[in-house]
Amino acid sequence: MQQAVADGADRGLEPAGCPMCGEPLHPGRSEDDRRGQRRLAAIARAASSVADAGSLSVTLDVVAREVVQAEHIAAVQILRVEGGTMRVVGKAGFTDAEDFTDRLEECRRLGARLMFVEAFRSRRRIVVAHRKAAVLSDPSWAPLHAIMGAPRWDCFVAVPLVVRGRAVGVLNAFYEPGENPGGAALEFLDAMADQAAMAVDSADLLARSRHDAQLAERARLARELHDSVVQQVFSMRMQAKALRSQVASGRTSSPERVQAVADELLGLAQNALADLRSLVHQLHPVELVERGLADAVRAHADSVRSMSGLCIDVEVADRLDLLPAELQEDLYRIVQEALHNVVKHAHATQVAIRIGGAGDAVRDQLLVEITDNGTGLDGRPPREGALGLVSMQARARGWGGRMEIRDTAPGCRVEVMIPVALPGGAR
């Protein structure tokens, strides 16, 4: 994984003086003041990155880069603990070395003292002066000597990532030679480690929310399978028995009676097939994979229109296929469930679907609206605990969003707002 790159010129430092006359650009500000300002700015940018997180690795790369640019630090690693194994999920100042984790494990087997593991277990910051010399002189670190010896660093700081009282990882900072971090520098690392911990925790919550949504959706599909397909197959069995009795040897039965039972059996089979196809479609949204979100929503609307007779108008912003695939599927499922509820409960004749920005001047909010002209809620709150609504709410909350259902007189509106920037050019 890691080999430090040579020091770059862009360290986020302000020039010491005017390039023309050499006079100080900010005569009233000391280097400590400027560094303090850089730290505050780095914390603010990192917090913004965590709030807008779509990918954990991208977010933690931003946090690591902000640390490097604000301090005299050669490189930063952010490691996450998963199943007892630490892996690097964010870095700056390093290039890739795919076997870094394997080399680190070999060092551990040889008896190397892993200071960042101690920081993680104790949930306390660890500062080690002249750490590079100790690592390079220790035979147990031999598998990583080439990698750890390349960067220009000396002092090492490991800061645990702690959220809600539990450690989820560690931030490693490799300070340049001659840099001994003082109290303000260490407090800055603590603050950045807090931002990284929040990002890891948010990713965990999102994964848990999606898992809960999947469980709720499976329960809903199981209930629908029982309420529709199973009941229809049971009725088909009864009709098949009746048909057999009509044509039993030695029994006289009118053709009209046999025809009626056969027609009933055929109708039940067709309904069961339609319901099964609908459930399979919900389990495997092939259109989403093959066509992208916009065309998948239109295709599903066409399917519902042909089966139900609803007049469905679809308006979807361009370039939504650039959104994360998981978000696209959640948006598709929300629209799918909302249309299902309209068909099943609303007695509507028209539906409008809109997916896009929340307004002409707003590009950091994604709005999903499904509006119908049916009976609405009639002043009643949505049925609490309904599996479909629970699934929709969980999908919205998983992205930091919200869902509301409102009467529109006539009809009803499902509104989902998710704080995610629309891809460039989306309208």
Side-chain angles (χ1 to χ4, degrees):
M1 179 202 99
Q2 326 273 14
Q3 164 138 2
V5 297
D7 271 351
D10 181 11
R11 306 291 293 171
L13 301 177
E14 298 178 5
C18 173
M20 300 297 293
C21 64
E23 291 296 322
L25 293 178
H26 300 283
R29 290 173 57 188
S30 68
E31 171 59 23
D32 287 343
D33 291 336
R34 289 193 292 271
R35 184 176 291 188
Q37 291 295 320
R38 290 198 301 273
R39 289 167 179 160
L40 291 175
I43 293 171
R45 288 191 295 267
S48 175
S49 175
V50 170
D52 293 338
S55 165
L56 180 62
S57 61
V58 171
T59 300
L60 294 183
D61 280 346
V62 170
V63 174
R65 187 165 59 249
E66 293 293 346
V67 175
V68 167
Q69 291 178 349
E71 295 288 296
H72 292 300
I73 292 177
V76 167
Q77 296 173 328
I78 300 176
L79 299 97
R80 181 183 183 183
V81 177
E82 293 179 294
T85 301
M86 282 192 172
R87 66 183 182 91
V88 177
V89 288
K91 61 184 182 298
F94 286 105
T95 55
D96 287 338
E98 294 181 357
D99 61 346
F100 177 84
T101 301
D102 295 336
R103 290 172 179 262
L104 183 63
E105 178 60 22
E106 180 63 21
C107 291
R108 187 193 65 79
R109 286 196 294 266
L110 292 173
R113 185 178 180 184
L114 307 181
M115 305 303 297
F116 64 87
V117 173
E118 295 182 20
F120 172 81
R121 289 175 176 170
S122 66
R123 291 184 292 178
R124 296 174 63 89
R125 183 205 315 131
I126 291 179
V127 181
V128 185
H130 311 303
R131 178 61 175 163
K132 180 178 182 180
V135 167
L136 296 183
S137 64
D138 187 345
S140 64
W141 280 98
L144 282 173
H145 276 173
I147 294 175
M148 302 302 292
R152 291 186 64 253
W153 67 282
D154 182 44
C155 178
F156 172 76
V157 180
V159 184
L161 311 184
V162 180
V163 60
R164 294 203 298 270
R166 65 185 182 96
V168 296
V170 65
L171 183 152
N172 294 334
F174 302 81
Y175 274 83
E176 294 175 354
E179 286 292 320
N180 296 309
L186 295 176
E187 289 177 1
F188 168 69
L189 288 184
D190 289 343
M192 297 301 278
D194 287 343
Q195 298 298 330
M198 289 174 57
V200 172
D201 189 51
S202 296
D204 289 342
L205 291 174
L206 175 59
R208 194 174 306 124
S209 177
R210 286 178 179 163
H211 177 68
D212 292 344
Q214 290 173 349
L215 292 179
E217 186 170 355
R218 290 174 184 172
R220 179 183 66 82
L221 290 172
R223 187 184 65 180
E224 290 193 5
L225 187 64
H226 176 271
D227 291 347
S228 59
V229 179
V230 172
Q231 296 299 324
Q232 291 178 72
V233 171
F234 177 78
S235 297
M236 290 168 61
R237 179 172 177 269
M238 299 302 294
Q239 292 295 336
K241 285 185 175 181
L243 182 60
R244 185 174 62 182
S245 67
Q246 294 292 326
V247 297
S249 177
R251 177 171 180 176
T252 302
S253 182
S254 67
E256 292 80 9
R257 176 57 182 163
V258 173
Q259 180 71 39
V261 175
D263 289 343
E264 179 71 17
L265 186 59
L266 177 62
L268 289 169
Q270 289 174 334
N271 290 337
L273 180 60
D275 286 344
L276 279 173
R277 283 175 173 168
S278 176
L279 290 172
V280 170
H281 177 73
Q282 293 177 50
L283 287 170
H284 302 286
V286 178
E287 291 86 351
L288 183 61
V289 176
E290 295 179 347
R291 306 183 186 184
L293 178 62
D295 287 344
V297 169
R298 293 188 181 101
H300 183 63
D302 289 341
S303 175
V304 173
R305 184 186 297 115
S306 65
M307 290 188 298
S308 66
L310 276 172
C311 177
I312 305 176
D313 179 67
V314 179
E315 180 183 345
V316 183
D318 298 331
R319 304 188 68 184
L320 293 187
D321 57 328
L322 298 179
L323 292 171
E326 296 87 352
L327 175 56
Q328 291 188 56
E329 179 169 356
D330 283 340
L331 296 175
Y332 179 81
R333 296 300 194 187
I334 287 171
V335 172
Q336 189 179 56
E337 180 62 32
L339 275 181
H340 173 79
N341 289 339
V342 170
V343 172
K344 192 170 182 179
H345 303 294
H347 306 291
T349 59
Q350 294 180 329
V351 181
I353 301 171
R354 179 180 174 237
I355 306 177
D360 292 339
V362 179
R363 279 293 175 266
D364 59 355
Q365 294 284 328
L366 183 63
L367 174 67
V368 180
E369 285 183 331
I370 302 93
T371 306
D372 66 76
N373 67 343
T375 55
L377 299 175
D378 195 23
R380 301 183 306 274
R383 187 161 60 90
E384 185 175 353
L387 290 178
L389 296 182
V390 169
S391 175
M392 294 165 70
Q393 290 167 344
R395 291 182 187 279
R397 284 197 300 267
W399 295 95
R402 60 176 176 80
M403 186 191 81
E404 296 181 359
I405 302 178
R406 304 174 181 173
D407 268 323
T408 55
C412 185
R413 176 185 296 128
V414 175
E415 180 180 292
V416 175
M417 188 79 74
I418 294 177
V420 59
L422 271 69
R427 55 180 176 82

